[in-house]
């Protein structure tokens, strides 16, 4: 681990300034950053401890939504009464991730910014365009079981590994950001993460000195919510594929609303509004669900070891849609 | 005084059964349990040493070649760095179990990616780790080192080859036959405590606290590596946080700490990082196994073929003994067994819990299930029908045989339906539900062992041996055996293990720990009893001791006359090992759920019945079985080492990405101990139980996956991708 300075800003404004002027990294729960520092994957000159800033509030918004501060822990979010009642999908997604101990430390902001679990990214002695631009992509032609099948590039095929953000994407959440200059802006969770393109080191829209202050969720929309995470062991494993779904039916048994997002498939929580458009107004059927999967996987490309994700995504989507529409196979 | 006993004949006297204390075999809790759960038990890295420096291994970033130069100057310029050690005596692999000599040395020669090439020593661990990672190394790389076991011409392990009768002819003449190829992935021991050592010198004398399983061999291996007499070395391993084979031989950090401590004149601690443990200790080899089995119309095996391919580094003798139990488990006159070893440049392959049967039995037992289906015979019955009278290859009698008992008892307890089996019969919601079973077998090993027992003048006893307790319960059973023999409550017995100054035990490995050290203790105690009987002027067998007194009320303290009475028991297995085939046997039954959409498999319940001779402690024995079954779940569903296809480096070397089962993967498990007395196994009639619980269990799960979902998966672990691919729809 590179020797580093420890900075503890007293205000958001100071934090932004310190982050912008040094190659410091914000540290919240530390469950991702510290691991990567030990592995020499992250080598900040300083860590800027934001954990005591006033960003740990969780509260109702005037329009009936929910404001979840950047420092609210994953455990606090998952057990929050309103989350359980109005956004059960989010509670399920969080509880499907990591372990109780990690969730007690992990924060909203840190979880959004967690880095890929690509084996070549976390091994500082292997080539990786994300960690070491221009060195090549070790995963292509290597062990790529965890890797992406959607939105990849020749430079990087890593996935965004998290669960919480997939649920927040389906829920239409918005990331609240304050820049180093004190300017606040809002970015939908669906647009927060980037595709790798030829800049795989750029994982989200944050600029130097930006701090996430919260995620806000819109007022609940009704319908059935679920989060399905497919994995080899039943806890403490990242998703091979995950599906977040909010689906409402009308009284004719047709789909009235369908918000879907997918994890484990891409460099970001995958969101394709065309799938919802296809489903809405239709009666659930195996053929319809297949068409939805066709749309989802239209551009999917496997890299050998992860080819299975394409049929797995199709099957998982069908299982989820059967569950939330009440159709049975 | 040393008392030597060599076992040439079965010991049917069952002396332990006649003892009066009544503690042996009881479910006594571990005597070291409290110290462990309260954190007062010290593990290797936790000892304090004055002025101790910290070492971290630097590892190679090429697959094969030489280290031309290391830029030590640059490393020494980094904060806190004291030394960069690249002494040619550094070891680059861990020694194989029972090697008794130094493993591969010469760190300038690189044979696998991730191999240790130097030790960086600094004031703090973090400084050492940083400098080790930034070491500038000039390599002479030899490109195109083979890393794929299927791509090289393998070496036949001729001592494993069996060719009896004509298997091809038997296969074509048979009423039913299966010819099927399985693969298994590599496994890691993944012990909780990482490998660690603290070395300090006092003149020419070296003391090392380390995390090792077999001090009796490790001291010789260390002495050989350092080029010093072993009398100058003291090795201490009082508590070991799991070994599972990974700590059988001396490992790189021990030798490195010793060399560094001498060079800098200060104690040095080397703790391997989790990644180092994964990449530089031992892997269980992957395997490709072809099974050919055939039966006549009645279901009697007429042919038995098992051919396995495994791999290791050049220069290593170890070849995963996949066929070990296949040699004797089932009948079949026409036999062909062959083991081949591919030489490749992946990290060292060596012993991981139950080497051989851990992967050989799952493949064999899945093939047996396929044969049962082909023949239309209940799989339990097929096995019962094919238990041989004697070893089908060597013609030897079995020392004892509990397979039939285990199968019958386990089937009954599980509620096994012996009727016709068809896959895909039960569905609940998204889940297919089904059951499966498998036999268990693991060869019995017993080793030479010495231990000192001292009956103190105050009527307590002390046990001293360099034997280790790697979490299995050795401390506890030692107290129970001595307590039973000398008529003492176990809390009157102080057990002092894991110090090379004590008489040499057998080490913990190959499940031989308990029968071997137990026999040495038995021999020592018997000699003490003889002396006591002499003082009472009676025959030793007539001496009845309980709670520190004879049956006629004479206190042991009186008999001792104010003096300690010490004997070193020296047990040695003799000709008996050539007269019998000895093995533990068992049976597994499992019920699983397979998700019809995602292919995820969860084990609903699992049960095992095991016969392994005398049960020394019902609680610790059961715990070994529970752990073994848990490993079976990992083998069946999740555990797989992945190696890069280009440079052969271990890719998923940490506990987040190497998936051992977690609590939620392990349902309530049931264990039936099928107790027996195996007179030929050891003078205490006990066999090992440390490994049996995982020898075949993965097949019970694989067979249940098939019965549930119709997916016959031939590749372990049976991850969702593979289950989906094999699913009929
Ligand atoms: C073994 C293991 C298993 C796991 N399994 C899962 C899983 O199954 N599913 C899952 O979703 N996650 C999983 N996780 C990841 C875990 O959820 C993350 O580590 C955690 O959410 C990170 O939060 P943190 O607060 O600790 O982040 P930190 O480690 O403190 O920070 C992570 C990153 O976010 C940045 N950051 C933090 N806060 C802010 C902010 N307010 N503004 C801007 N940048 C910020 C930091 O600079 C850093 O780059 C697992 C982690 C581990 C170690
Ligand atoms: S997939 Fe991306 S993160 Fe992984 S090695 Fe390639 S560039 Fe690096």
């Amino acid at each position: 681990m590179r020797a580093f300075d420890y900075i503890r800003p007293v205000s958001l404004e100071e934090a932004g300034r310190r982050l912008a002027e040094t190659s410091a990294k914000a540290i919240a729960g530390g469950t991702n950053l510290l691991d990567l520092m030990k592995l020499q994957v992250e080598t900040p000159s300083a860590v800027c401890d934001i954990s005591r800033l006033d960003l740990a509030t969780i509260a109702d918004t005037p329009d009936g939504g929910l404001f979840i501060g950047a420092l609210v822990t994953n455990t606090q979010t998952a057990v929050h009464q309103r989350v359980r009642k109005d956004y059960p999908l989010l509670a399920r997604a969080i509880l499907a991730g990591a372990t109780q101990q990690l969730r007690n430390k992990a924060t909203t902001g840190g979880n959004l910014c967690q880095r890929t679990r690509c084996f070549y990214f976390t091994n500082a002695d292997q080539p990786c365009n994300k960690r070491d631009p221009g060195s090549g992509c070790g995963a292509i032609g290597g062990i790529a079981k965890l890797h992406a099948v959607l939105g990849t590039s020749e430079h990087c095929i890593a996935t965004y590994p998290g669960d919480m953000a997939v649920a927040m994407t389906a829920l239409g959440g918005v990331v609240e950001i304050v820049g180093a200059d004190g300017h606040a802006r809002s970015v939908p969770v669906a647009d927060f993460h980037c595709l790798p393109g030829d800049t795989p080191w750029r994982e989200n829209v944050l600029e130097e000195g930006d701090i996430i202050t919260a995620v806000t969720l819109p007022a609940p929309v009704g319908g059935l919510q679920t989060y399905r995470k497919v994995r080899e062991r039943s806890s403490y494993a990242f998703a091979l594929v995950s599906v977040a779904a909010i689906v409402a039916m009308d009284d004719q048994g047709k789909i009235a609303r369908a918000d879907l997002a997918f994890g484990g498939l891409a460099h970001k929580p995958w969101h394709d509004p065309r799938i919802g458009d296809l489903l809405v107004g239709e009666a659930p059927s195996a053929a319809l669900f297949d068409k939805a999967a066709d749309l989802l996987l239209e551009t999917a490309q496997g890299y050998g070891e992860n080819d299975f994700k394409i049929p797995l995504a199709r099957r998982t989507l069908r299982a989820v849609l059967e569950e939330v529409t009440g159709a049975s196979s | 005084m040393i008392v030597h006993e060599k076992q040439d004949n079965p010991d049917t006297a069952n002396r332990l059964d006649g003892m009066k204390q009544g503690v042996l075999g009881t479910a006594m809790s571990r005597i070291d349990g409290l110290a462990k759960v309260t954190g007062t038990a010290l593990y290797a890295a936790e000892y304090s040493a004055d002025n101790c420096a910290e070492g971290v291994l630097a590892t190679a970033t090429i697959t094969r070649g030489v280290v031309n130069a290391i830029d030590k100057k640059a490393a020494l310029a980094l904060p806190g760095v004291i030394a960069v050690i690249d002494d040619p005596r550094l070891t680059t692999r861990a020694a194989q179990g029972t090697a008794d000599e130094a493993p591969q040395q010469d760190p300038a020669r690189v044979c696998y990616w991730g191999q240790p090439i130097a030790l960086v020593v600094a004031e703090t661990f973090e400084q050492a780790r940083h400098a080790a990672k930034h070491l500038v190394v000039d390599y002479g790389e030899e490109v195109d080192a083979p890393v794929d076991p299927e791509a090289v011409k393998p070496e036949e392990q001729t001592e494993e080859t069996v060719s009896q009768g004509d298997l091809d002819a038997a296969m074509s003449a048979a009423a039913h036959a299966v010819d099927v190829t399985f693969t298994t992935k590599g496994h890691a021991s993944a012990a909780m405590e990482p490998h660690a050592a603290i070395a300090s010198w006092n003149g020419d004398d070296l003391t090392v606290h380390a995390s090792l399983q077999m001090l009796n061999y490790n001291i010789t291996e260390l002495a050989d590596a350092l080029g010093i007499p072993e009398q100058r070395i003291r090795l201490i391993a009082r508590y070991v946080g799991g070994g599972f084979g990974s700590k059988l031989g001396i490992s790189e950090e021990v030798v490195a700490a010793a060399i560094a401590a001498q060079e800098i004149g200060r104690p040095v601690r080397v703790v391997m990082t989790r990644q180092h443990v994964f990449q530089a200790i031992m892997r269980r080899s992957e395997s490709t196994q072809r099974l050919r089995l055939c039966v006549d119309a009645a279901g009697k095996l007429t042919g038995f073929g098992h051919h396995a391919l495994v791999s290791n580094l050049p220069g290593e003798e170890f070849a995963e003994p996949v066929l070990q139990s296949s040699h004797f488990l089932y009948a079949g006159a026409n036999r062909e067994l062959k083991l081949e070893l591919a030489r490749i440049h992946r990290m060292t392959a060596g012993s991981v819990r139950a080497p051989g049967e851990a992967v050989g039995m799952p493949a064999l037992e899945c093939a047996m299930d396929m044969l049962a289906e082909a023949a239309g015979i209940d799989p339990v019955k097929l096995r019962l029908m094919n238990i041989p009278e004697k070893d089908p290859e060597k013609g030897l009698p079995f020392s004892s045989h509990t397979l039939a008992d285990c199968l019958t008892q386990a089937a009954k307890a599980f509620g096994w339906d012996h009727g016709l089996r068809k896959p895909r019969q039960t569905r609940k919601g998204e889940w297919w539900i089904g059951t499966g079973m498998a036999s268990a077998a693991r060869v019995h090993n017993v080793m030479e062992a010495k231990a000192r027992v001292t009956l103190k003048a105050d009527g307590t006893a002390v046990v001293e041996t360099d034997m280790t307790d790697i979490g299995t319960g050795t401390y506890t059973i030692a107290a129970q055996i001595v307590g039973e023999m000398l008529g003492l409550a176990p809390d009157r017995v102080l057990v002092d293990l894991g110090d090379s100054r004590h008489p040499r035990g057998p080490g913990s490995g190959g499940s031989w720990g308990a029968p071997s050290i137990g026999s040495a203790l038995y021999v020592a105690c018997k000699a003490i009893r003889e002396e006591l009987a002499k003082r009472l002027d009676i025959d030793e067998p007539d001496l009845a001791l309980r709670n520190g007194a004879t049956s006629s009320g004479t206190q042991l303290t009186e008999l001792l006359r104010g003096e300690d009475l010490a004997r070193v028991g020296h047990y040695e297995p003799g000709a008996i090992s050539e007269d019998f085939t000895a093995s533990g046997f068992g049976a597994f039954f499992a019920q699983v759920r397979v998700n019809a959409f995602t292919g995820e498999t969860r084990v609903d319940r699992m049960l095992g019945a095991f016969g392994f001779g005398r049960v020394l402690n019902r609680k610790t024995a059961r715990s070994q079985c529970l752990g073994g079954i848990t490993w079976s779940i990992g083998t069946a569903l999740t555990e797989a080492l992945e190696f890069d296809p280009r440079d052969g480096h271990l890719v998923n070397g940490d506990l987040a990405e190497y998936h051992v089962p977690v609590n939620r993967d392990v349902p309530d498990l049931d264990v039936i101990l099928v107790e027996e007395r195996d007179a030929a196994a050891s003078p205490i009639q006990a066999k090992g139980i440390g490994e049996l619980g995982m020898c075949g269990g993965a097949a019970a799960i694989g067979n249940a996956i098939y019965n549930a979902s119709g997916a016959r998966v031939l590749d372990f672990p049976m991850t969702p991708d593979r289950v989906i691919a094999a699913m009929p729809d």
Side-chain angles (χ1 to χ4, degrees):
Chain A
M1 181 178 334
R2 175 177 172 194
F4 58 90
D5 288 333
Y6 176 79
I7 306 168
R8 194 199 295 159
V10 297
S11 67
L12 201 54
E13 177 272 322
E14 185 195 349
R17 185 160 45 76
R18 300 298 289 269
L19 280 169
E21 73 194 14
T22 56
S23 79
K25 274 247 157 189
I27 184 165
T31 61
N32 189 223
L33 182 64
L34 289 178
D35 278 1
L36 294 174
M37 286 170 69
K38 291 178 192 170
L39 294 168
Q40 311 270 355
V41 172
E42 297 264 26
T43 53
S45 62
V47 298
C48 178
D49 184 355
I50 60 170
S51 67
R52 291 169 214 216
L53 298 182
D54 183 18
L55 299 171
T57 319
I58 181 161
D60 297 344
T61 61
D63 66 355
L66 191 67
F67 172 97
I68 306 170
L71 289 172
V72 176
T73 67
N74 280 182
T75 298
Q76 286 164 343
T77 304
V79 303
H80 192 268
Q81 199 203 335
R82 276 221 51 213
V83 174
R84 298 179 75 110
K85 184 165 127 296
D86 292 333
Y87 312 98
L89 152 67
L90 179 58
R92 277 178 81 159
I94 289 174
L95 294 177
T99 62
Q100 182 70 55
Q101 294 89 334
L102 284 160
R103 294 191 296 266
N104 289 344
K105 285 299 282 178
T107 63
T108 314
N111 195 319
L112 282 174
C113 299
Q114 68 174 291
R115 310 209 60 190
T116 184
R117 310 303 288 198
C118 169
F119 302 128
Y120 298 83
F121 171 71
T122 53
N123 185 337
D125 293 321
Q126 288 287 325
C128 169
N129 287 327
K130 185 188 280 296
R131 189 190 64 245
D132 184 6
S135 62
C137 170
I140 296 177
I143 300 294
K145 186 166 181 181
L146 303 175
H147 289 70
V149 293
L150 291 170
T152 55
S153 77
E154 58 182 310
H155 304 285
C156 179
I157 59 171
T159 51
Y160 168 75
D163 295 296
M164 181 195 82
V166 179
M168 287 176 166
T169 300
L171 287 165
V174 172
V175 186
E176 310 294 348
I177 302 165
V178 170
D181 57 2
H183 182 78
R185 68 189 201 276
S186 305
V187 178
V189 180
D191 300 330
F192 178 74
H193 296 92
C194 311
L195 289 178
D198 53 8
T199 54
W201 53 90
R202 193 178 156 76
E203 293 179 336
N204 54 49
V205 300
L206 293 183
E207 304 284 346
E208 203 122 292
D210 278 355
I211 293 179
I212 298 171
T213 54
V215 171
T216 48
L217 300 178
V221 294
L224 278 177
Q225 301 185 7
T226 196
Y227 186 76
R228 178 76 66 104
K229 177 174 176 178
V230 182
R231 47 189 159 165
E232 287 168 14
R233 61 179 176 189
S234 41
S235 146
Y236 197 40
F238 290 90
L240 296 171
V241 168
S242 71
V243 180
I246 308 163
V247 172
M249 305 295 288
D250 67 17
D251 40 18
Q252 267 105 57
K254 295 206 167 127
I255 298 169
R257 183 184 182 104
D259 299 320
L260 296 161
F262 302 85
L265 296 179
H267 202 251
K268 58 183 292 187
W270 194 259
H271 179 64
D272 184 343
R274 295 179 307 160
I275 301 173
D277 295 346
L278 173 91
L279 294 170
V280 169
E282 301 290 331
S285 72
L288 179 69
F289 300 161
D290 246 355
K291 266 199 228 155
D294 288 343
L295 213 48
L296 168 70
L297 298 163
E298 202 175 51
T299 59
Q301 182 197 346
Y303 290 83
E305 281 230 311
N306 68 348
D307 290 350
F308 75 93
K309 283 192 174 181
I310 299 171
L312 182 60
R314 175 177 296 276
R315 298 173 76 108
T316 311
L317 175 58
R318 183 162 154 206
V320 166
L321 289 175
E322 284 191 7
E323 180 192 333
V324 291
T325 61
S328 65
S329 55
Chain B
M1 190 161 123
I2 299 182
V3 192
H4 183 211
E5 188 173 313
K6 194 165 180 168
Q7 191 178 11
D8 291 322
N9 294 298
D11 184 337
T12 50
N14 285 347
R15 291 296 313 284
L16 278 163
D17 287 322
M19 298 293 154
K20 301 289 180 238
Q21 187 64 30
V23 291
L24 195 62
T26 60
M28 204 177 110
S29 292
R30 282 175 166 73
I31 58 179
D32 49 335
L34 194 67
K36 284 187 173 173
V37 298
T38 54
T40 51
L42 287 189
Y43 290 81
E46 297 176 322
Y47 285 84
S48 57
D50 281 345
N51 198 25
C52 189
E54 307 288 338
V56 170
L57 294 164
T59 58
T61 57
I62 60 167
T63 305
R64 182 175 64 178
V66 291
V67 173
N68 292 326
I70 293 176
D71 188 347
K72 292 191 187 179
K73 235 166 101 191
L76 287 167
L78 291 169
V81 176
I82 302 166
V84 177
I85 313 277
D86 59 353
D87 189 296
R89 293 173 300 165
L90 286 177
T91 51
T92 57
R93 309 173 187 178
Q96 297 288 350
T98 74
D100 227 16
E101 61 181 14
Q104 193 80 28
Q105 295 176 283
D106 186 10
R109 173 91 220 143
V110 178
C111 289
Y112 61 96
W113 202 102
Q115 172 197 302
I117 51 170
L119 181 80
V120 178
V121 186
E123 295 296 341
T124 71
F125 172 76
E126 287 75 15
Q127 290 166 334
R129 186 176 54 190
H130 179 72
K133 203 78 188 173
H134 286 89
L135 207 59
V136 179
V137 183
D138 174 26
Y139 293 106
E141 188 174 357
E142 294 158 23
V143 294
D144 295 333
V147 296
D148 175 5
E150 305 280 347
V152 296
K153 194 172 156 4
E155 298 165 5
E156 183 173 340
Q157 306 295 294
T158 48
E159 67 286 358
E160 287 277 344
T161 306
V162 171
S163 183
Q164 266 173 225
D166 186 340
L167 180 60
D168 289 336
M171 288 285 287
S172 36
H176 307 283
V178 296
D179 179 348
V180 58
T181 299
F182 296 87
T183 67
T184 66
K185 290 264 188 180
H187 296 154
S189 292
M192 202 139 42
E193 181 202 17
H195 294 56
I198 302 177
S200 45
W201 290 84
N202 184 358
D204 288 338
D205 290 321
L206 170 67
T207 301
V208 185
H209 288 276
S211 184
L212 293 164
Q213 294 180 227
M214 306 206 296
L215 300 189
N216 50 321
Y217 295 104
N218 303 141
I219 192 164
T220 316
E221 292 154 1
L222 179 58
D224 187 30
L226 298 175
I228 63 172
E230 59 188 68
Q231 292 72 19
R232 303 244 72 106
I233 302 176
R234 183 175 179 196
L235 264 181
I236 299 168
R238 296 203 191 281
Y239 294 105
V240 179
F244 309 113
S246 72
K247 297 167 183 170
L248 290 177
I250 202 89
S251 39
E252 296 95 319
E253 84 291 356
V254 183
V255 178
I259 293 172
Q262 192 167 39
E263 189 161 323
I264 70 166
R266 287 168 61 175
V268 171
R269 172 180 13 232
V270 182
V271 181
M272 282 199 170
T273 64
R274 183 62 68 189
Q275 288 77 12
H276 284 164
V277 174
F278 265 94
Q279 79 188 23
I281 299 289
M282 291 284 175
R283 63 180 168 101
R284 184 200 307 289
S285 172
E286 71 297 321
S287 74
T288 304
Q289 303 180 47
R290 180 179 181 201
L291 269 303
R292 281 177 293 165
L293 304 174
C294 56
V295 287
D296 62 19
K300 281 274 189 196
L301 276 164
T302 53
F304 186 102
H306 196 168
H307 175 176
L309 172 70
V310 298
S311 70
N312 209 340
L313 278 166
E316 293 296 324
E317 272 173 30
F318 182 89
E320 179 81 17
V322 175
L323 312 178
Q324 207 152 239
S325 282
S326 294
H327 287 297
F328 62 81
L329 185 57
Y330 295 123
N334 300 288
R335 305 178 79 79
E336 244 180 62
L337 286 86
K338 187 158 94 172
L339 179 66
E340 291 183 298
L341 179 67
R343 295 288 179 195
I344 54 166
H345 291 264
R346 288 181 186 174
M347 61 179 283
T348 324
S351 294
V352 175
R353 195 177 190 180
E357 286 93 334
V359 287
M361 285 295 294
L364 168 59
E365 290 298 299
C366 280
M368 283 294 280
D369 198 63
M370 297 171 77
L371 184 65
E373 186 183 36
I377 300 175
D378 168 42
V380 178
K381 190 168 164 223
L382 178 71
R383 285 159 173 94
L384 287 170
M385 285 174 67
N386 285 292
I387 297 175
E389 289 290 308
K390 50 188 181 146
D391 185 314
E393 291 173 11
K394 294 187 194 145
L396 295 175
F398 289 101
S399 65
S400 77
H401 212 302
T402 53
L403 180 55
D405 272 352
C406 290
L407 286 166
T408 316
Q409 289 190 33
K412 183 152 179 272
F414 185 79
W416 180 258
D417 177 356
H418 292 276
L420 190 64
R421 291 169 63 72
K422 269 171 66 188
R424 281 164 99 82
Q425 298 301 302
T426 310
R427 172 112 179 219
K428 276 198 190 139
E430 292 183 6
W431 299 89
W432 292 108
I433 299 181
T435 57
M437 57 76 55
S439 298
R442 169 71 178 158
V443 291
H444 166 60
N445 296 303
V446 62
M447 304 294 263
E448 184 173 2
K450 286 189 199 137
R452 181 186 300 113
V453 177
T454 307
L455 186 54
K456 310 282 280 185
D458 65 2
T460 63
V462 175
V463 172
E464 293 163 306
T465 161
D466 75 352
M467 177 63 180
T468 53
D469 184 330
I470 58 172
T472 49
T474 315
Y475 278 106
T476 312
I477 58 142
Q480 286 176 286
I481 292 169
V482 171
E484 192 64 49
M485 289 292 287
L486 300 182
L488 298 173
D491 64 3
R492 310 280 288 166
V493 183
L494 178 79
V495 185
D496 185 357
L497 302 181
D499 185 337
S500 67
R501 288 203 176 154
H502 295 329
R504 289 196 180 178
S508 300
S511 297
W512 65 59
S516 310
I517 195 63
S519 296
L521 292 169
Y522 169 80
V523 170
C525 289
K526 211 162 56 156
I528 291 176
R529 289 174 54 88
E530 269 156 20
E531 176 59 31
L532 295 172
K534 207 161 80 191
R535 291 180 190 182
L536 283 164
D537 208 15
I538 57 172
D539 290 334
E540 185 269 325
D542 295 334
L543 178 67
L545 294 172
R546 189 157 186 277
N547 290 335
T550 67
S551 51
S552 55
T554 313
Q555 296 293 315
L556 276 176
T557 44
E558 277 172 58
L559 281 176
L560 289 163
R561 305 176 200 130
E563 280 173 24
D564 295 354
L565 182 53
R567 293 289 182 273
V568 174
H570 177 188
Y571 168 74
E572 209 181 332
I576 198 155
S577 42
E578 264 106 71
D579 295 344
F580 294 93
T581 291
S583 177
F585 294 98
F588 300 95
F589 288 78
Q591 178 184 312
V592 307
R593 261 176 306 143
V594 180
N595 190 291
F597 291 96
T598 63
E600 290 163 293
T601 300
R602 303 291 180 244
V603 180
D604 280 337
R605 62 192 180 104
M606 196 156 169
L607 175 148
F610 306 103
F612 50 95
R614 181 192 297 279
V615 176
L616 301 170
N617 177 322
R618 302 193 76 75
K619 192 181 221 172
T620 55
R622 184 168 178 276
S623 289
Q624 289 297 305
C625 299
L626 294 176
I629 297 175
T630 303
W631 277 55
S632 298
I633 296 174
T635 302
L637 300 179
T638 55
E639 291 185 47
L641 291 176
E642 303 284 357
F643 294 91
D644 184 87
R646 298 152 303 189
D647 63 16
H649 84 273
L650 173 62
V651 167
N652 57 335
D654 63 40
L655 291 171
E657 299 303 343
Y658 178 76
H659 289 168
V660 299
V662 295
N663 282 332
R664 269 175 79 183
D665 296 315
V666 184
D668 272 348
L669 305 176
D670 246 335
V671 173
I672 301 172
L673 304 178
V674 180
E675 186 148 11
E676 47 152 355
R677 300 283 179 265
D678 188 337
S682 58
I684 60 172
Q685 300 83 33
K687 291 187 274 205
I689 185 53
E691 304 174 46
L692 181 61
M694 66 170 300
C695 299
I701 296 169
N703 296 336
I705 290 176
Y706 173 71
N707 179 249
S709 69
R712 176 58 80 183
V713 185
L714 303 179
D715 303 293
F716 292 89
M718 302 183 183
T719 44
D721 49 322
R722 291 166 160 181
V723 174
I724 291 177
M727 205 104 87
D729 57 2

